[in-house]
Amino acid sequence: MPTTTAASRTYRETVIVLGTYPLGESDRIVVCLSSGHGLLRAVAKGVRRSSSKLGARLEPFMISDVSLVHGRNLDTVTQAVTRKAYAAPIVADYDAYTHASAIAEVAEYVAQGDGETASEIFALTAGALSALARRTHAAQDVLNSYLARSMRIAGWYIETEACVRCGTQDGLVSWSMAGGGIVCTECAQAGDRPLSGDMMQYLRGVATGSWEVLQGIEDPTAGQRVGALLRRYVQWHLEREFRSFALLERTS
């Protein structure tokens, strides 16, 4: 019978820390997103002690290289080296923090699906957190783009160029939650959400990550209104209510 050694049970991953939960008196369960293994849940022992060297490297929104040992129920983190320290700048800005929390919550749920999409959702999440930490784009725009693009990765592509019911590119006026995209005047039904020209342009910009498109939008409320629709769309298709979305609704 083959012998299992500690070395054979150890592996390394680059992870984005999405959240943590206390375990016992000094340990934490760390929820991570990795490009190779998708969603990981592991125990980080002793990290709640003031003397721990791992604690700061395993805070939410950190990107770290970690070593783990396979366990029966949960793997165990044995080492961590910081690659991108996004936690401090994000937590220091309440607006960035609330939007980053929504990104982390959606990432945790989307990453539970097909493992083949792990590298895509990892790259998208890392880019979104980087944008929030460095203030390269408005937090609202970063989250809205993340929601639209993460849904595409998860299999719910949002059609923004043609009517989802008849395929025409003319007379596009509304968004169908159930249909997964915009609809024309002839196909619009009760319950579809009307879109102004600026809202249509904004949706196209965030769905493709075309930041320059957003600069030409005159209506300052377009992002807020499309963001509300995107959050409803995500919850509609994932059949889940996200706690961070409720916070955004109260503060928007």
Side-chain angles (χ1 to χ4, degrees):
M1 184 175 180
T3 301
T4 301
T5 64
S8 68
R9 296 189 296 114
T10 301
Y11 65 101
R12 294 185 62 84
E13 266 288 3
T14 300
V15 301
I16 302 171
V17 181
L18 301 178
T20 63
Y21 304 93
L23 179 67
E25 294 183 357
S26 60
D27 304 340
R28 278 199 183 109
I29 295 176
V30 184
V31 181
C32 304
L33 175 63
S34 72
S35 59
H37 291 78
L39 193 68
L40 298 174
R41 290 184 175 87
V43 176
K45 296 184 176 180
V47 295
R48 293 164 64 194
R49 298 192 186 109
S50 58
S51 60
S52 172
K53 296 180 180 179
L54 288 180
R57 301 167 188 171
L58 296 174
E59 290 294 325
F61 317 131
M62 297 291 283
I63 300 181
S64 299
D65 290 328
V66 298
S67 295
L68 304 103
V69 176
H70 286 293
R72 179 174 298 177
N73 297 313
L74 288 171
D75 296 348
T76 300
V77 178
T78 57
Q79 290 182 323
V81 178
T82 300
R83 289 194 62 184
K84 300 290 183 180
Y86 295 145
I90 287 176
V91 172
D93 183 322
Y94 181 76
D95 194 37
Y97 174 76
T98 54
H99 288 78
S101 297
I103 287 170
E105 193 173 2
V106 172
E108 180 177 350
Y109 192 82
V110 171
Q112 296 182 44
D114 189 350
E116 294 181 3
T117 64
S119 61
E120 288 186 86
I121 197 67
F122 180 92
L124 181 65
T125 305
L129 294 179
S130 173
L132 290 174
R134 295 184 294 116
R135 317 288 195 270
T136 54
H137 305 292
Q140 172 182 256
D141 298 342
V142 173
L143 173 60
N144 290 342
S145 183
Y146 183 86
L147 295 179
R149 295 159 76 185
S150 65
M151 290 301 285
R152 176 190 60 78
I153 295 172
W156 286 284
Y157 172 76
I158 300 174
E159 176 57 67
T160 62
E161 299 298 330
C163 176
V164 293
R165 296 192 175 119
C166 71
T168 184
Q169 296 181 345
D170 299 323
L172 303 174
V173 296
S174 304
W175 185 6
S176 167
M177 289 283 175
I182 54 180
V183 294
C184 67
T185 305
E186 296 297 324
C187 297
Q189 300 175 358
D192 291 342
R193 304 303 178 101
L195 295 177
S196 67
D198 277 347
M199 290 174 68
M200 192 84 69
Q201 184 179 357
Y202 182 91
L203 177 60
R204 288 170 177 154
V206 295
T208 58
S210 303
W211 303 108
E212 64 280 2
V213 172
L214 307 186
Q215 298 176 3
I217 296 175
E218 298 180 358
D219 182 1
T221 69
Q224 180 180 341
R225 294 158 69 190
V226 171
L229 293 176
L230 281 167
R231 292 192 294 272
R232 293 172 192 167
Y233 179 81
V234 169
Q235 293 183 131
W236 170 284
H237 285 281
L238 296 183
E239 299 180 340
R240 176 186 176 89
E241 292 188 3
F242 293 99
R243 289 176 296 176
S244 55
F245 286 9
L247 178 60
L248 290 171
E249 293 290 343
R250 291 196 298 269
T251 56
S252 61

